[in-house]
Each structure stands twice: as C-alpha cells, then as structure tokens.
Amino acid sequence: MVFYQVKDYEEMSRKAAALIAAQVVMKPDSVLGLATGGTPQGAYGQLVKWYRQGHLDFSQASSVNLDEYRGLSGEHPQSYRHFMEVHLFDHINMDRSRTFIPDGQEPDPGKACRDYDGIISKLGEIDLQILGIGANGHIGFNEPGERFEGKTHCVELAESTRKANARFFEDGEEVPKQAYTMGIGDIMKAGRVLLLASGAEKAEALKMSLYGPVTPGVPASILQFHPNLTVIADREACVEIRE
Ligand code: GLP
C-alpha cells in the first residue's frame, strides 16, 4: 500500500486528479473505474480544468461506474448517471457510448446485474479504480454484511447510508432503499485501486479498513489484500490512524 496523508480536501483532490491524469496520459485507452459522492467531486473538477487547458485527452478512454440507485432514471438529479454527466462527462471529450453505469431503471435486478457484469467483462481489466469510503466502511454500495459479494448485485442500503446520502436529495424526497453495485470481486480485479478519504466522519472507517481485521463487516478492509492500493487521505480522515 502507498499511503499519502495530505492537508485537506483540496490537496486530496489535486493529488487524486494528478494520478488519474497520469493514468490517461500514459495509457490513453485506459478503463477508468469511477465513483460518485462528495469525495471524488473535487478531483473531477480538477480534471475538467486540466482538460480545458489542453493537457488531457479522454477520447480513447472508457469508464465504468461503481453503482446506481435502483429505480432512478439517468435524468433524475440524484442518479449517479446525472452526477457523472454534471461533474465530468459534460465537460470532457470522453465518448458517451463508452461510459457505463448500472441501469437504475431496469426493474429486474437479475437482468440489471447480468447486463452490467457483461459490460464489465467485455471492457476487460479496470486499469484504475477510484473509491470513496462510506462511514460504515462500504465501497461502491457494498454494505457491511456476512460475506464479500463478487459480482454486480442488488443491495438493500443501510439506514446509515440512506441518512448520509439524504443531504443530496430534496427535502421530503425519499432516498431509494436499494441500489445496484459492482461487486467486491470486480473491484479487487482492478489493476490499481485509488482509495480517497476526507473528513473526520471517515476516520474510524479508514482505520478499520486499513489496519483492522479483513472482514465483510467492513467491506473496504478487503483492500488490504489488493497488490496495488494507493490511499490519499486528508488530515481529518487520518486522526484515528495517527493516534
Ligand atoms: C456513497 C457511494 C459510494 C461513496 C460513499 C461515500 O453512498 N455509493 O461510492 O464512496 O457513499 O460518499 P461521499 O464521498 O459522499 O462521502
């Protein structure tokens, strides 16, 4: 594991963007595993800036996102497809037909998951997988459970996750109860994993994930077994580790 402790969210975002940019520069047809949420948003903003300045070209790259809420269309403002459009895809020259996100509107979970697994295997290896972390140690929407799920599956979202994500939804609007998420096996197959963490509310999860026992009760703990893991975490997210 390569561990960078940085000052704050801005520094984390710049460093993460630099790593993603390097990936695309060195291998223009990279498959990027992308994440949503507040954590990677700053890194995407930085990539957009560098793209506008002419430093980056995404025309040969592909992307595959971790997860999507079940029941939300790509146009819904809180869907992860919409998040990716607004924060990244609308501003760079990645070919839309090579950006993949589970189909939240597919009512049949079996089909939604099979279709996404098909897409993942067709793309081949994910070169760089970006991950945030939930305060309960989830990655993608792989919630704490009895076992590590290998492939794309439909999950019941933990109450704590729904509460944490309620900040993005309109007042009174329900956070979906289920989501489709890439499995832990898919994440572990990535050539390189970049785990990002910012803020005190991630400190306990980060410590448990990187230094606690490897257990499906803390899904991100499996990353201890990844041969090419890079962590960029800000000071607040590292408080438990320093102690
Ligand atoms: C969300 C997403 C995850 C994300 C995590 C943390 O529910 N499904 O992919 O990493 O929870 O979110 P945030 O970065 O907003 O703290």
Side-chain angles (χ1 to χ4, degrees):
M1 168 173 73
V2 179
F3 195 113
Y4 297 103
Q5 191 196 306
V6 296
K7 193 168 84 190
D8 53 17
Y9 181 82
E10 279 65 43
E11 201 183 337
M12 178 196 77
S13 301
R14 250 195 329 276
K15 233 185 181 46
L19 219 136
I20 301 163
Q23 175 66 46
V24 176
V25 168
M26 301 311 282
K27 187 176 181 230
D29 62 347
S30 287
V31 178
L32 301 174
L34 299 179
T36 49
T39 307
Q41 199 176 313
Y44 296 155
Q46 182 65 70
L47 288 173
V48 169
K49 266 191 210 147
W50 286 333
Y51 171 74
R52 285 189 177 141
Q53 291 164 357
H55 301 306
L56 291 172
D57 174 17
F58 293 90
S59 61
Q60 294 178 58
S62 312
S63 71
V64 59
N65 261 76
L66 286 165
D67 45 16
E68 180 61 281
Y69 289 111
R70 182 178 179 210
L72 296 195
S73 83
E75 280 81 49
H76 189 286
Q78 297 318 325
S79 72
Y80 286 165
R81 163 58 73 180
H82 188 262
F83 176 99
M84 291 310 303
E85 302 285 343
V86 168
H87 295 291
L88 191 64
F89 301 151
D90 276 351
H91 314 286
I92 62 173
N93 65 339
M94 200 184 274
D95 182 341
R96 271 306 194 298
S97 67
R98 286 205 298 267
T99 65
F100 300 98
I101 300 183
D103 180 1
Q105 272 201 308
E106 171 54 62
D108 174 359
K111 181 170 178 334
C113 297
R114 269 194 314 278
D115 287 354
Y116 208 56
D117 279 337
I119 288 168
I120 295 169
S121 31
K122 224 163 136 192
L123 281 171
E125 185 181 276
I126 295 172
D127 294 289
L128 175 63
Q129 176 64 59
I130 296 140
L131 294 176
I133 184 168
N136 63 359
H138 74 220
I139 43 177
F141 268 137
N142 289 275
E143 296 283 26
E146 303 283 299
R147 63 194 190 100
F148 293 111
E149 294 279 348
K151 292 180 163 285
T152 307
H153 55 290
C154 181
V155 287
E156 299 293 325
L157 296 177
E159 241 355 89
S160 60
T161 301
R162 295 183 65 232
K163 267 203 194 114
N165 289 3
R167 69 189 195 277
F168 297 115
F169 285 75
E170 300 272 313
D171 271 355
E173 196 182 3
E174 269 243 309
V175 180
K177 294 196 164 78
Q178 294 182 321
Y180 297 132
T181 184
M182 210 187 256
I184 293 287
D186 301 315
I187 293 170
M188 289 299 281
K189 272 189 240 149
R192 183 175 195 184
V193 172
L194 172 60
L195 176 69
L196 304 176
S198 170
E201 62 287 359
K202 303 295 174 68
E204 181 66 21
L206 192 66
K207 180 184 76 175
M208 292 306 288
S209 302
L210 300 180
Y211 301 105
V214 174
T215 160
V218 183
S221 65
I222 193 77
L223 298 173
Q224 292 179 38
F225 290 149
H226 197 281
N228 196 358
L229 171 67
T230 300
V231 181
I232 308 176
D234 70 9
R235 224 176 261 157
E236 286 192 355
C238 292
V239 285
E240 297 287 335
I241 293 170
R242 276 187 290 157
E243 280 161 16

